[in-house]
Amino acid sequence: MSDLSKRGPLARSKKDAKISGVCAGIAEYFNIEVWLVRLVAASFLIFSGTLAVIVYFVAYFIMDEKKADDKAGHTVEIKTKVWQGGQPPQRAFHEIAKEFNELEQSLQRLEGYVTSNAYKIDRELKQL
């Protein structure tokens, strides 16, 4: 069972948006495929007509836009690499492991700099 406290707020997602990100936001919130939410929305539109349009606009105005992460952001898309990209799983996982090792080395360099005397001197010079 998924932990509901780990979910962020229900918000429109511009990442996978087609029109305004309502379906993408709902899919991200419930951790399901976007195409499935769009299929349900399209079916709702076909069977209910204008009610679906009204519900969509209400959802658009109620849902805030998702805030963009300020992180430099290295993302590893396993699904894209393996299932959609046609790569063999072993090769994809080796590439992912390589990316994580590069991130680890970058983090170690950053920690080394922040704990060094050069960082303290640079910070004091900037404060002058």
Side-chain angles (χ1 to χ4, degrees):
M1 189 177 228
S2 66
D3 186 11
L4 295 178
S5 63
K6 291 182 180 179
R7 287 187 192 168
L10 179 60
R12 291 180 281 127
S13 174
K14 292 295 183 182
K15 179 182 162 193
D16 294 321
K18 292 291 183 187
I19 297 174
S20 64
V22 172
C23 291
I26 291 170
E28 191 173 306
Y29 183 78
F30 289 107
N31 196 24
I32 56 178
E33 296 289 331
V34 179
W35 65 268
L36 186 60
V37 176
R38 289 186 182 128
L39 181 68
V40 170
S43 300
F44 185 53
L45 177 64
I46 290 169
F47 293 114
S48 70
T50 56
L51 179 62
V53 175
I54 293 169
V55 169
Y56 190 87
F57 279 115
V58 168
Y60 173 77
F61 287 112
I62 290 175
M63 295 170 63
D64 293 329
E65 188 172 333
K66 184 176 180 181
K67 304 287 185 227
D69 292 333
D70 294 332
K71 302 173 187 173
H74 288 281
T75 59
V76 178
E77 296 288 337
I78 296 173
K79 181 177 178 182
T80 302
K81 285 182 176 287
V82 179
W83 290 279
Q84 295 173 351
Q87 273 188 358
Q90 188 175 18
R91 181 175 170 207
F93 286 118
H94 283 298
E95 289 178 10
I96 291 166
K98 181 181 173 186
E99 288 182 42
F100 280 125
N101 286 335
E102 290 171 359
L103 288 171
E104 177 68 25
Q105 290 173 357
S106 176
L107 181 61
Q108 287 177 358
R109 284 192 303 272
L110 179 66
E111 286 176 345
Y113 173 70
V114 169
T115 57
S116 71
N117 288 332
Y119 174 74
K120 292 175 187 173
I121 293 170
D122 289 342
R123 188 177 64 187
E124 289 177 14
L125 288 175
K126 288 180 182 178
Q127 290 177 351
L128 292 179

